[in-house]
Amino acid sequence: DTAVSQTPKYLVTQMGNDKSIKCEQNLGHDTMYWYKQDSKKFLKIMFSYNNKELIINETVPNRFSPKSPDKAHLNLHINSLELGDSAVYFCASTTSGQGLYGYTFGSGTRLTVV
Amino acid sequence: AQSVTQLDSQVPVFEEAPVELRCNYSSSVSVYLFWYVQYPNQGLQLLLKYLSGSTLVKGINGFEAEFNKSQTSFHLRKPSVHISDTAEYFCAVGGVKAAGNKLTFGGGTRVLVKP
């Protein structure tokens, strides 16, 4: 049973295209995240949703638009892809409430823009 | 706001030797602290966490970390490493009342275990 699953695992596309990455968790968590990991392995938060509500929106170009149809799903749509968007995108989830239990991460989507 | 500094970008170590990965953080509020491991081409996996209580935290795979509030540090240790410990290790901090339980990650430390 995959706890946090991302699709696709690899995505190669040309500049200017629009693409989506999907994430689903079956852990019953109520908070989900998108992180971007660059070529130097640096992880930067992009967005977070809690029960379908956007609660974290870091400085990210408007070309990136998250959508959460329900608390188990968080998708990321990217318009007009640029070379600098090449990275590994990780979805993660956790449960809010008392304490902070740490995230469960998906295995990542490696996006290559050519 | 929080920040995390991992003082070593790479740590080469021989098999069965001990290893210590250093992590310092800054925060204006009380924090939770985490260590994650990322094996090649995989997602991040939680090694251990400090929420409160005892400052010495034991995690999976024989790792432990010590929270030092006065030095704002959370160093990770393992007394004897295996080849399979070769991976990238990330320290992360979250504010106790941070909106959205946001975690801020350090830049990572690559551990290369040599036979």
Side-chain angles (χ1 to χ4, degrees):
Chain A
D1 287 342
T2 303
V4 179
S5 60
Q6 294 180 230
T7 54
K9 190 171 177 66
Y10 300 97
L11 184 55
V12 180
T13 187
Q14 290 186 327
M15 280 196 315
N17 284 350
D18 303 337
K19 290 294 178 185
S20 292
I21 306 171
K22 296 186 176 183
C23 179
E24 176 181 2
Q25 55 92 5
N26 62 4
L27 298 166
H29 290 167
D30 58 6
T31 307
M32 297 182 72
Y33 307 83
W34 280 113
Y35 274 80
K36 179 181 180 181
Q37 186 176 47
D38 63 23
S39 59
K40 295 185 178 181
K41 301 290 188 181
F42 183 70
L43 276 159
K44 183 174 168 56
I45 191 168
M46 301 174 69
F47 302 103
S48 176
Y49 272 77
N50 176 266
N51 283 322
K52 303 192 296 177
E53 180 185 352
L54 181 65
I55 52 173
I56 295 175
N57 186 350
E58 296 290 300
T59 307
V60 176
N62 291 338
R63 300 181 293 103
F64 290 79
S65 54
K67 279 193 173 58
S68 181
D70 56 60
K71 71 175 186 178
H73 295 84
L74 179 61
N75 304 323
L76 183 65
H77 188 75
I78 315 169
N79 289 325
S80 303
L81 278 154
E82 299 177 358
L83 292 175
D85 298 331
S86 295
V88 181
Y89 292 84
F90 285 102
C91 177
S93 69
T94 192
T95 184
S96 59
Q98 296 182 0
L100 183 63
Y101 300 98
Y103 297 173
T104 301
F105 280 84
S107 57
T109 295
R110 183 175 296 275
L111 171 65
T112 303
V113 182
V114 298
Chain B
Q2 292 98 38
S3 67
V4 181
T5 302
Q6 291 183 240
L7 297 161
D8 306 295
S9 59
Q10 291 190 63
V11 174
V13 57
F14 286 105
E15 194 174 15
E16 298 183 3
V19 70
E20 179 180 79
L21 308 184
R22 297 179 293 169
C23 172
N24 285 90
Y25 68 93
S26 69
S27 176
S28 55
V29 298
S30 296
V31 297
Y32 300 127
L33 292 155
F34 303 82
W35 276 99
Y36 284 84
V37 60
Q38 184 180 26
Y39 298 106
N41 298 315
Q42 295 187 27
L44 281 75
Q45 177 183 353
L46 181 65
L47 270 180
L48 48 77
K49 61 190 174 192
Y50 172 79
L51 302 182
S52 65
S54 172
T55 57
L56 183 62
V57 180
K58 294 192 182 299
I60 62 171
N61 301 341
F63 284 93
E64 63 180 30
E66 185 153 20
F67 170 56
N68 187 319
K69 188 174 181 179
S70 63
Q71 297 188 4
T72 60
S73 69
F74 191 54
H75 300 334
L76 180 72
R77 302 184 187 96
K78 184 169 182 178
S80 175
V81 296
H82 302 294
I83 295 290
S84 59
D85 292 321
T86 294
E88 193 90 23
Y89 292 80
F90 292 92
C91 182
V93 63
V96 167
K97 295 183 179 179
N101 293 336
K102 172 184 171 182
L103 287 186
T104 299
F105 286 82
T109 298
R110 181 182 295 271
V111 172
L112 177 59
V113 181
K114 303 177 179 179

